[in-house]
Structures are given as structure tokens and as C-alpha cells.
Amino acid sequence: MKQVDIVILDFGSQYTQLIARRLREEGIYCEIVPYFEDIENIKSKSPKGIIFSGGPASVYEEGSYEVDKKIYNLGLPILGICYGMQRITVDFGGEVARSTKHEYGKAELYFRSGNSPLFADCHNGNIVWMSHGDRVEQLPEGFQSLAWTDNSPYAGIGNIEKSIYALQFHPEVKHSKEGYIMLRNFARNICGISHRWNMGDFKKEQIENIRKQVGDGKVLSALSGGVDSSVVTALLYEAIGNQLVPVFVDNGLLRAGEREAVEYSFKEVLKVPLIVVDAKERFLQALKGVTDPEQKRKIIGHTFIEVFEEEAKKHQGIKFLAQGTLYPDVIESVSVKGPSKTIKSHHNVGGLPDWMNFELVEPLRELFKDEVRLLGLELGLPENLVYRHPFPGPGLAIRIMGEVTAESLELLRKADSILLEEIKKAGYYKKLWQSFAVLLNVRSVGVQGDNRTYENAVAIRAIESTDGMTANFAHLPYELLENISRRIINEVNGINRVVYDISSKPPATIEWE
């Protein structure tokens, strides 16, 4: 089993994944497991330290999450965060009570006399992020106060002899200005982790794992052109060469130049023998007359399966199916709240038929999205592909309100292409999570030259997000919005009005359909 530098026990905090991300950014490999993980499984990972995450519960409530006390006998350094701090306090005989004043938001952190290795290189009075209703009232025997805020006399505590530390605040969130230093200090200074984990190491390790798993079998890979499927395909080809059967289906719902870009990246740059299936007419015919968004999705998914099935059956000896499962999917499936109700289906297919009785190959299941991008660069994928914005599986079909036709697709491609060109030119592309145009299929009156027009309107969407779960509309400069609007109206015949979507998620969704 792979050695893990630090194991993070998840007590249900919304920030647990951020702990792992911050540590990995520092070159420290860590994994998240539920708080009830078997001690033997933890020991088998050979960690150098353990972190208890925060959580929404109170330690004194009935049914609160408890850790197996054997974890304290492993002789490993432990860091508790928020609920994790309270759990440690109670387990060692201290007292936790409901705070007379809830503390949510920023606080100034001050250190007690004497330098703790946990706070090395941190500044007195630095800002940290609090989010708690309980607080430590009495320290357990052997523990001492290391830091305080105006409302938390025990904002940081430690048992130096046992190498057990705890923080009332959340060092993993960016609002805690020097929190990443504290997490790094725990790993480097207290756990003694000196090496740095990187994508080069990960690539070598996964290539070896893929070769062991696949043997002389063949692997089917559905390439959508998105980041995840592109990285999976490139990694598999480097590992097993022609044992990979990579298939790209052109469904006619792609953005301008997308098929050409995918073909160039894989056939010319990476020398991958990509199989391209032209199914544009088939998808358009299947969508004819359909206006309901959910029906569009089902038709596209079903048609893709049909095309994929026909192509797959042309190749003998396929035993494996490549899938771009990422670490957040894995974490959610074993969360402290139990398995999620809907496990993510294959991101290119949207539900696999019974005949696809393959063993899965999931080489990205230990990575976050930003790490997948780094791996893509390590594999030699072009930057424009690695950093492209997320694109929905049903493609432009759900960015066209109403029926999808060849004419509406052409209008939307032109408008979307201008939007992306201007966003990139202004230096905003990498600052945004997503940006795209939506064809409203709503006509409005306009004036162009001396003529009255009655043509289509488009909405443009630009959002900022870290994971797509929540999102805010981007405050783009008026000058940029004006350039986008002017160019679309002047250069795309059939569009005479551009509006900007200023709704956030929630309550709105990112896509319109």
C-alpha cells in the first residue's frame, strides 16, 4: 500500500478537503478517511502524522462523532482543528462548553511566550478564521495554552510531550492568512516530513500501477476533450501504448474548433492513435423537435452510448474501461454522513449499459482538479487544453434554449468564440471558473444602420468559483463587456442584443439548462 505522509480523519467539516489541498500544495501527500476508519487500515498507510478535521456537531451532544481511542496510542503527532480540538480536549479529560459568544469570522491570533514549532514563522496578531459555537473551558492535564484570541483563551493548545496539538480556528481556509504555514509546520517541524511529493512522482507511480492492473489487456477510453478524460487518456497511452483504444465522438455539439484542437493535441503532439467518430447528423436528428432540457440530456446520453457501443464492438480483447474519477468523488462516497445518494456516473457517458461489463481503471482517483491540471502539464498536454474551462457533457445543446438546430448551433458557436477570444485577450480566462454564451431563442427589436431588425438575443455568463458547487458572477469591467457585446452584434448575423447574467449559484445554476 502507498505510504501516506498524513492521514486526515473527517468529522464532517465543509473544509476537510481544503486541509488536504493545502498540505499537497506544500508537497505533503495526505489522504482523507472517515473518523471511524479502522485503526489497522490507518497503520497500513504508515503515516507520519494525523489530523482531526472540524465538524458541525458538538462533542457533548448525544451521538457526537467519537474517535477510536487506540489512535492516541500509535505514538504519532496529532493536530486537531475546531471539532477535532474539542474531541481531543474531552478525550484527555478537559472540558468543553457552549461559548457565551459564538465566534464566526476573522479574529486576531496572539501567541503565548515561548516559541512553539507549530507557529514558527507566523506573526503575532495575524488573522485567523473562526467558525464555532463551543470552546475549550478547561485544559486536559499535560496540555498548555499556546495561542489566544479575544474570545478564545485557548485558541491553540498543545501537549508537547505527546506531540498533540489543537487549534480552535480553521488554518486551512484562505481567510486564515498564515494558516498554510501552520499546517506546513505541523508536517515539517512536528511530524518530521522532509521529502516533497510531486506530479512527477505521481506519474511514475501510476504508470507502474496501470501496467500491473492491465497486464496484456486492452483499455477503452472515451475522450470528451475535457481536462479529466484528456489527462486519463494521455497517462494511459504513456503507460500501455497501443493497448489503449481511445475514442472521441464528435456529436456536433462542440464549440468552434474543438474537434480540431483535440485531434491536433492527441494525434500530432502526443502521437496517440485517436479514433474519431463523426456522429454530428445522428445527434442532430435525434434532437429534432425536442425542447425540454432533461429530455435533451437523456437523448444525448443514449445516443452517445449507441455510438460508443458500435465503435467498442469493433475491437477485440477490451477488458477495462478508463474513468476520470477524482478524489472529491471518492471522498463523498465514503463521507461521515454515509455514501452519497447518487454516485457520479461516467463523466463522458452519463450511465453505462449492462454490456459494458469492464473492470474500471481510475488513475486520477487520488487527485483534486487542480492537481489533474498539473499532471496534464507533466504529460505534455498543451496549456490551452489543460486550463480550458469546464464544458458540460451535453455540450452546446443545453446552452440553446429550445430546439437545437444546425442554424442555432452556428449562431452560438460564433458568439461563444468571440466571448472567449475577448476574455482571453483581456487576461481574464484563467481568473474565471467558466465563461460562455447562451442562445436565448428570444427575438427582440433592434436598429442596425437605418434598418429595423427583429433577431436573436444572447446571454453571456462569466463566473468565479473554486469547485463549481457555489459560484458568483464575475465583476467584469464594463469596457470588456462592451467589447464583447459590440463584436457579437456586429459580427454575428442574426443576433442584435447581448445581456449579462448577474445571478449567482445558488439560487441559479451555472448552466441555463
Side-chain angles (χ1 to χ4, degrees):
M1 179 174 284
K2 178 187 181 68
Q3 180 181 339
V4 178
D5 291 332
I6 290 178
V7 170
I8 301 166
L9 297 192
D10 182 14
F11 287 90
S13 169
Q14 60 182 318
Y15 303 133
T16 301
Q17 289 187 30
L18 287 179
I19 303 172
R21 292 177 69 129
R22 296 292 169 263
L23 287 168
R24 289 190 183 188
E25 286 167 6
E26 297 291 332
I28 298 148
Y29 184 71
C30 52
E31 288 184 359
I32 299 170
V33 299
Y35 71 92
F36 49 78
E37 184 80 354
D38 185 81
I39 288 293
E40 293 304 314
N41 288 344
I42 293 175
K43 286 167 65 176
S44 70
K45 297 177 185 291
S46 303
K48 299 288 182 66
I50 294 172
I51 293 178
F52 293 1
S53 83
S58 294
V59 290
Y60 50 75
E61 289 179 350
E62 186 178 348
S64 64
Y65 301 144
E66 294 188 22
V67 70
D68 187 333
K69 304 299 189 296
K70 293 175 187 173
I71 204 159
Y72 298 120
N73 299 326
L74 296 179
L76 296 172
I78 296 175
L79 174 65
I81 295 172
C82 200
Y83 179 90
M85 175 190 198
Q86 295 152 19
R87 183 76 269 160
I88 289 170
T89 298
V90 169
D91 287 347
F92 280 87
E95 291 183 11
V96 172
R98 178 71 68 183
S99 177
T100 55
K101 176 186 174 186
H102 287 199
E103 196 172 16
Y104 299 112
K106 296 176 181 178
E108 292 182 358
L109 184 73
Y110 296 94
F111 307 125
R112 303 291 182 189
S113 58
N115 292 323
S116 166
L118 186 62
F119 300 124
D121 301 321
C122 294
H123 296 86
N124 229 10
N126 76 88
I127 298 298
V128 296
W129 185 259
M130 292 286 188
S131 179
H132 66 96
D134 300 341
R135 74 176 190 178
V136 175
E137 291 293 321
Q138 182 177 321
L139 291 180
E141 185 178 345
F143 283 76
Q144 59 182 286
S145 176
L146 302 175
W148 57 279
T149 68
D150 285 343
N151 191 51
S152 293
Y154 304 124
I157 64 175
N159 183 317
I160 312 306
E161 183 183 343
K162 293 181 180 291
S163 289
I164 298 178
Y165 296 83
L167 303 172
Q168 181 61 77
F169 55 91
H170 288 273
E172 67 273 27
V173 302
K174 289 192 175 178
H175 300 302
S176 293
K177 297 300 182 183
E178 296 180 345
Y180 72 97
I181 299 177
M182 299 170 200
L183 290 172
R184 181 178 65 202
N185 286 341
F186 175 70
R188 302 290 186 204
N189 298 346
I190 296 170
C191 299
I193 299 166
S194 57
H195 62 272
R196 287 190 63 85
W197 177 75
N198 59 58
M199 276 301 121
D201 295 336
F202 180 85
K203 185 181 86 166
K204 291 175 187 174
E205 179 185 281
Q206 284 304 313
I207 286 174
E208 186 178 333
N209 291 344
I210 290 166
R211 287 171 179 167
K212 284 179 182 176
Q213 181 185 2
V214 171
D216 59 359
K218 287 186 179 179
V219 182
L220 184 66
S221 174
L223 178 64
S224 69
V227 178
D228 302 339
S229 68
S230 295
V231 172
V232 166
T233 300
L235 181 62
L236 281 164
Y237 188 70
E238 187 161 333
I240 59 173
N242 290 331
Q243 289 171 251
L244 179 68
V245 181
V247 179
F248 174 74
V249 177
D250 182 355
N251 57 14
L253 306 173
L254 306 172
R255 289 173 289 194
E258 200 148 26
R259 171 175 170 171
E260 293 78 8
V262 170
E263 286 194 82
Y264 176 79
S265 295
F266 283 88
K267 289 185 175 180
E268 303 300 325
V269 178
L270 299 176
K271 308 301 180 185
V272 175
L274 185 65
I275 298 166
V276 179
V277 180
D278 191 329
K280 293 192 289 289
E281 292 302 320
R282 185 166 176 172
F283 277 85
L284 263 181
Q285 192 61 35
L287 289 167
K288 191 172 183 180
V290 178
T291 58
D292 179 71
E294 191 56 31
Q295 191 65 17
K296 286 183 194 176
R297 290 177 180 272
K298 288 179 179 177
I299 288 171
I300 292 166
H302 181 72
T303 306
F304 182 90
I305 288 171
E306 287 180 347
V307 175
F308 196 53
E309 177 180 6
E310 291 166 11
E311 185 58 38
K313 287 182 176 178
K314 296 177 185 177
H315 305 274
Q316 299 299 313
I318 296 177
K319 299 178 182 178
F320 302 89
L321 177 70
Q323 186 160 299
T325 306
L326 301 189
Y327 197 39
D329 305 322
V330 177
I331 295 168
E332 184 177 339
S333 69
V334 292
S335 83
V336 298
K337 301 167 188 173
S340 58
K341 292 180 180 177
T342 303
I343 303 299
K344 183 181 177 185
S345 57
H346 190 276
H347 63 293
N348 289 324
V349 179
L352 297 175
D354 293 338
W355 66 269
M356 285 189 180
N357 188 25
F358 300 138
E359 182 181 335
L360 288 177
V361 178
E362 300 173 302
L364 307 184
R365 62 182 286 112
E366 296 172 2
L367 298 184
F368 291 104
K369 188 77 171 187
D370 51 340
E371 294 170 332
V372 173
R373 296 187 194 279
L374 293 176
L375 179 58
L377 296 176
E378 185 74 30
L379 289 161
L381 286 170
E383 263 200 37
N384 65 326
L385 194 156
V386 169
Y387 287 104
R388 63 167 263 177
H389 288 173
F391 189 59
L396 297 181
I398 57 169
R399 293 177 179 173
I400 293 173
M401 305 295 98
E403 183 180 3
V404 179
T405 66
E407 294 74 20
S408 60
L409 283 166
E410 187 62 20
L411 279 179
L412 182 55
R413 279 197 192 96
K414 288 178 179 177
D416 192 67
S417 182
I418 291 169
L419 166 65
L420 293 176
E421 186 180 322
E422 289 297 324
I423 290 284
K424 289 174 182 176
K425 190 190 300 181
Y428 274 85
Y429 189 80
K430 286 189 179 180
K431 298 177 185 177
L432 300 173
W433 173 263
Q434 227 167 332
S435 55
F436 55 89
V438 179
L439 185 66
L440 303 182
N441 266 327
V442 172
R443 294 180 182 275
S444 67
V445 174
V447 178
Q448 287 178 295
D450 292 324
N451 297 318
R452 175 185 182 276
T453 61
Y454 186 61
E455 293 177 338
N456 268 294
V458 296
I460 56 178
R461 186 92 159 114
I463 62 164
E464 296 170 340
S465 179
T466 55
D467 54 16
M469 300 301 291
T470 60
N472 296 316
F473 72 88
H475 292 215
L476 297 180
Y478 287 139
E479 184 181 358
L480 173 56
L481 291 171
E482 184 180 15
N483 287 341
I484 294 167
S485 175
R486 186 189 68 252
R487 283 198 58 196
I488 289 175
I489 292 171
N490 287 346
E491 298 175 31
V492 185
N493 291 330
I495 295 175
N496 69 353
R497 190 177 298 272
V498 175
V499 298
Y500 187 47
D501 183 348
I502 58 169
S503 48
S504 294
K505 177 187 178 181
T509 55
I510 293 176
E511 298 290 345
W512 276 51
E513 287 193 345

